[in-house]
Structure formats: C-alpha cells, structure tokens
Amino acid sequence: MLGPGGVGGLVAGLLARDGHRVICLAREETAAVLAERGVTVRSGTFGDFTARVEADTELREPVDALIVAPKETGLRSALERVPREALGAGLAVPLLNGFEHVDVLRGRYPAEQVVPGTIRVESTRVGPGVIEHGGLNARIELASSTAPHARVEAFAEVLRGAGQQVDVLADETAMLWGKLSFLLPMALLSTRYGVPVGEVRTVHRDRMLAVIGEFAEVAAAQGAPLDVPAPRVVHGIALRARPHTPDGLELILKRRRGYPSARPAFEDERLSAIRGPGQSPGTGSRGPTEPDAPPTARTP
C-alpha cells in the first residue's frame, strides 16, 4: 500500500483484517507508527477494528499488487519508494482521481501490469494509522486497456473478499471520466466558495451547471461519451444533489485542519482535458480569480 492515508489506510486495514499480508509504504515516522500499532479503522459500515500491517519506507521485495493511493500532488515522489525492479510482476493499481497519473505509472512500470481504478468513499486519516470511514461502503471500479482481464478480475476478487464492492469495467477511459466529471466540478466549486455541495447547487447553480456541462462535453470529446445526452446528465446530477447533502464538506474541513488541498491537481486535470485536441474552455472555465467571484466568499 503506497500512501496509507484516508483511502489507502482503509483498504490496507480491510485487506489485513481479511488475512492478507499488507506492507504499507510511507515516510519513516509514519512507517514506525504503523509497524508498532497497525491500522485502526473506525467505521459504521465495517466496524471498529485494528489490523496488523508491516511498514517500510521502500518496497524491497516483489508483491502481488501495489495499490497506489497518495495525494495526486505527491505521486511522483511517492513512486520513488517503489523501484521498478522491486515491483516484479505485481499489478500497479492506482486509486486516484483524474487520468494523468495513468500515463505516469505506465511510463514507470510495464503497461500490462497497470490497472487503473477509482474509489467512491468518504474516508479520512485523522492520525498515523487511524482512519475514520463515514458514509456507505467503499465502491471500487477497475478497468485496464493493457492488463489481462483475468488478472484484473482475480485482484477484484481479493478486494471483494475483504468486504469491498468492486466492479470490473470494460472501458478504462469511461471509468476515469465517469467519476471525474462529477467529482471535479463539485470539488472545485465547493472549495472555491467554501460551501458544501448543497449550497453550490442552490446559490451557485448556474456556475455548477456550466462546469458540469463543460466536463460532460470534454469527456465525450476524449472518448468517454455518456450514455445519455449531456443536458440530462447535468440536470440529473443537479437534482440528485440535495440542498443539505454534506458532500464537499470533507474537502472544506480538511483545508481548515491544515491538510494539503487537492484543488491544484484538480485544476490541472481540468485544464489538461480542456486544452486537448480541438478543445477550448467554455463558460464554466474561469479559474479561481474570475471577476464575478463574491468578495466575501469564505476561505477555509
């Protein structure tokens, strides 16, 4: 497990509890705590438990799978903990938002070993090796245009055995955009205005619709067309985001607690996609200094 934070720590804890040997790769201070205390998970879904894991600052032996779960902004430096030769024939499975990290991994490890994934979960690292999981079960999607399907399915079964919901999909691009086209606009706008998604939906509805619509169009242009017309997607998402939903609050709270923001990486993903072949920013593309920004917007 590279990056035993909110996502990585939860998955590592579940796998270890299920009897798998798990090695967490982290900074020296964190690795020392994990080696001594293990991973503690507090979850209304999975229960409260502590699972023993091994920990190190670098991978020193081949593994069946490397789950990649650091912050996007720290991916390249984190990968220095996993030399190519150390991975052996193991799969490299990133559970990150966006899509540019896939090329980074395929540039470092054999393409046939890279299996992109997404995870939908509310999970926070509140201390070294201490994970608070809120909300529903962790839902993971896996898809790879380069790895053998049988290997992807076999790894999915390991995750399912640990209690996680896992779907193996056929279209890697559609999977990555399927999450990004909703998460990214909501994350950008909720942190931009310092409000939860419910307030984005009501107070900043026009901007929300513009940004989501833009992403739906860019996703289609990048080879990930949605299965319904973009306008229906936009309004459907808007209606599903209830006024008082807490989605987005985790991002705000993390910023107030001093955690590094993923917003710069989100912005990079958005601009990279928009500036692809034949693409140009639309009405929702203005960045954090757009002229109509409210001067009194809360800044966590």
Side-chain angles (χ1 to χ4, degrees), residues 143-197:
S144 179
S145 60
T146 56
H149 179 79
R151 292 200 68 188
V152 179
E153 186 60 52
F155 181 65
E157 277 301 311
V158 172
L159 295 173
R160 291 178 187 129
Q164 296 162 97
Q165 297 177 358
V166 185
D167 296 319
V168 177
L169 306 182
D171 192 326
E172 173 186 309
T173 303
M175 175 194 71
L176 295 172
W177 274 101
K179 182 179 181 183
L180 185 67
S181 60
F182 174 75
L183 172 67
L184 200 154
M186 291 300 150
L188 288 176
L189 293 174
S190 64
T191 54
R192 165 68 185 83
Y193 294 108
V195 297
V197 167

Side-chain angles (χ1 to χ4, degrees), residues 9-300:
L10 175 65
V11 176
L14 291 171
L15 287 170
R17 184 177 69 168
D18 195 43
H20 297 280
R21 182 188 177 204
V22 176
I23 306 172
C24 292
L25 304 176
R27 293 192 299 266
E28 186 173 355
E29 299 82 358
T30 300
V33 174
L34 292 170
E36 179 182 354
R37 304 177 188 173
V39 175
T40 296
V41 174
R42 302 166 185 160
S43 169
T45 301
F46 300 113
D48 297 349
F49 64 91
T50 296
R52 305 301 303 179
V53 298
E54 299 176 38
D56 205 336
T57 58
E58 181 179 325
L59 184 63
R60 306 179 193 277
E61 60 182 285
V63 291
D64 295 322
L66 169 73
I67 300 176
V68 181
K71 289 290 185 184
E72 178 83 18
T73 51
L75 174 62
R76 292 180 185 274
S77 60
L79 289 176
E80 294 300 318
R81 302 186 187 281
V82 188
R84 176 171 176 161
E85 59 275 11
L87 181 61
L91 296 177
V93 185
L95 296 179
L96 302 173
N97 298 318
F99 49 86
E100 292 187 335
H101 63 274
V102 178
D103 289 337
V104 173
L105 285 165
R106 287 188 173 131
R108 185 175 179 87
Y109 307 114
E112 64 271 17
Q113 294 174 220
V114 177
V115 181
T118 65
I119 183 169
R120 291 167 170 80
V121 67
E122 179 189 337
S123 186
T124 304
R125 173 188 181 273
V126 297
V130 181
I131 309 299
E132 290 187 353
H133 168 237
L136 302 178
N137 193 356
R139 179 188 169 195
I140 294 174
E141 294 177 338
L142 301 174
S144 179
S145 60
T146 56
H149 179 79
R151 292 200 68 188
V152 179
E153 186 60 52
F155 181 65
E157 277 301 311
V158 172
L159 295 173
R160 291 178 187 129
Q164 296 162 97
Q165 297 177 358
V166 185
D167 296 319
V168 177
L169 306 182
D171 192 326
E172 173 186 309
T173 303
M175 175 194 71
L176 295 172
W177 274 101
K179 182 179 181 183
L180 185 67
S181 60
F182 174 75
L183 172 67
L184 200 154
M186 291 300 150
L188 288 176
L189 293 174
S190 64
T191 54
R192 165 68 185 83
Y193 294 108
V195 297
V197 167
E199 193 167 331
V200 170
R201 172 187 177 269
T202 54
V203 178
H204 306 289
R205 182 180 177 82
D206 290 344
R207 178 55 54 80
M208 178 193 71
L209 295 178
V211 174
I212 295 177
E214 178 180 303
F215 270 91
E217 293 173 4
V218 173
Q222 295 293 317
L226 301 173
D227 58 2
V228 291
R232 283 184 56 195
V233 174
V234 171
H235 290 287
I237 291 174
L239 290 173
R240 288 197 298 272
R242 298 186 300 274
H244 302 294
T245 179
D247 296 344
L249 269 177
E250 182 181 6
L251 291 168
I252 299 169
L253 291 173
K254 282 184 176 181
R255 290 182 64 187
R256 287 178 176 165
R257 292 169 182 166
Y259 288 95
S261 173
R263 179 175 173 174
F266 285 150
E267 287 280 11
D268 289 345
E269 295 281 3
R270 176 172 75 118
L271 294 176
S272 175
I274 291 172
R275 291 169 181 168
Q279 298 302 307
S280 60
T283 58
S285 314
R286 284 172 291 181
T289 57
E290 67 265 28
D292 62 340
T296 57
R298 281 175 280 170
T299 303

